[in-house]
Amino acid sequence: MLNIQNSFRLFVVLLSFAFGYNVQATENISTETETRPESARQVVEQFQKTLLDVMQHGSELGFEGRYKKLAPAVKKSHALTKIARIVVGREWKKLTEEQQKELVDTFTRLSISAYAYNFKEYSGEKFEFVSEEETARGGKIIHNLLVIPDDNDVKFDYMLKKINGDWKIINIIADGVSDLAVRRSEYTSLLKNQGFDVLIAKMNEKIENYAKQ
Amino acid sequence: MMYYSNLHIQFKKGCVLTFLFSSILLAGCASTDVAKTEASAAEVAAEQQNPADPYEHINRKIYGFNDKLDKYVAKPVSDAYLWVTPQFVQTGIANFFNNLNDISVILNNTLQGKFEKGAEDTGRFLLNSTVGLAGLFDVAKEVGLEKHQEDFAQTLAVWGVPEGPYLVLPVLGPATTRSVPGVVVDTATNPVSYVGYPVQVLSLLNSRANAEGSLKFIDEAALDPYVFTREAYLQHRKYLIKDGEIEVSHDVADLEDAFYEDEEESFGVVETTDRMDADNAKPAEQENLAKTEGYTLKLSADKNGFSQASESFEDALKSFQEASQSYQEASKKLDQIKH
């Protein structure tokens, strides 16, 4: 009997090694001073703070309240104009100036609405910083974990670029799925095949649906 | 922008295998947009294609069929199941089928040379089958043994079999040519395939019910559910093959190129200094090459296959070393416990 217990313990000890790496996730605390231009990591963490705050007060705020609270935070931390340009790819240059403006505006509203709709509840989720990585062309990737109680962690990677001296989020990769890449396929395909008006109409339809709930 | 965060919360909330199932099982997303997107299918086929999806025209049609099947058959049944079944029963059922799936996970971990993970999953299976009452409770998770996601299509990928074109299978949903034999082997290694049909029906219900969150999310967020599903499926599969250790910067290079693309002609919104740097241009080029890998693999499967196979052998060796190292550490710890 003792033997069985021992070997079971060995087994558990052995297997727990594989998860050892999870422990160090929160240890690297930033030593950077809080100077005016925020570091890439600070931009991400500031935004996550707002997000968690909105989630915690989700129901009392309602959709509109969440939208209002999130709008400045999303605009500040995300390079929305840039993202809107990337998701339509080469089609951007074929658009008139007015269309470009309309696209950026609609895309901004859609992004904020999606946040406001999807982050309405809080059940103890938290973000943990894991590491920071520099890309080949001077961008930064902030690796995070979204820890959900009673569930598996989600790997969250924020990709940032410096725009006019400020770090801005241009992509989020969740468990290997890159939001920007998915969006780009969707938007370019729609724009090419069904035209600008249909794209904008679909985006507005999504915004309306989000606001309804 | 951050639709995905919630998608993944929902993924996780649904079930560990949610995405896989959502894709495999009736990957519809009850949306009225489908008719419209279908209408454009011909143009899509005629226009420039995604190299990963040469059969988009027919794929879209099957996607539309699956979508209707889901909307009118699977979803109503699944909704009824969710309505009548208490949450703890649903969880128990999901755990039960997850546990049976662990057999296939163990097998595939072993076939891929991931002995350490295979050992973990064996532990999971033994623990859950006994203490967890035939898998109804995921007690292994409580001890820190998380479930891994492995299947035969991933094993084939590790062995160097090229991904092949994207396919949408009738009823089964998104796949690639590589995952077709995968589905066959996975079915053969799942005990559910050998029991009576009531259990199989329950298994299907469970899968669809667990996919509800993801399907709802796609329906809410996607402008073109077909493209959305395809991109998310292909990316997530890649992520699973690499066991989540995919170097993000690798995938990001292409997007970084896109980041600068529109500036070549515009009035420098961003820093322009490093843009055309020879050093910087080079890795970007390599990344581009890597991006078209799926396509070139078809033409030169032998060479790539060989290098991938040798890589996977190295991985296997590494994992074997890791396993033996952790054995040593474990016995050391055990000694400490004894004293």
Side-chain angles (χ1 to χ4, degrees), chain B residues 33-54:
Chain B
D33 294 346
V34 173
K36 280 182 243 161
T37 44
E38 254 184 320
S40 69
E43 300 159 47
V44 172
E47 281 252 4
Q48 171 236 351
Q49 283 180 338
N50 183 329
D53 188 9

Side-chain angles (χ1 to χ4, degrees), chain A residues 86 137 159 161 184, chain B residues 252-264 275 280-281 283-288:
Chain A
I86 295 175
R137 298 179 84 169
M159 185 182 161
K161 292 294 284 188
R184 193 162 55 146
Chain B
V252 146
D254 171 52
L255 292 173
E256 276 201 304
D257 288 345
F259 181 84
Y260 293 110
E261 206 168 73
D262 61 58
E263 273 160 37
E264 314 278 304
R275 176 157 36 110
N280 285 331
E285 241 169 62
Q286 284 167 355
E287 302 295 355
N288 273 341

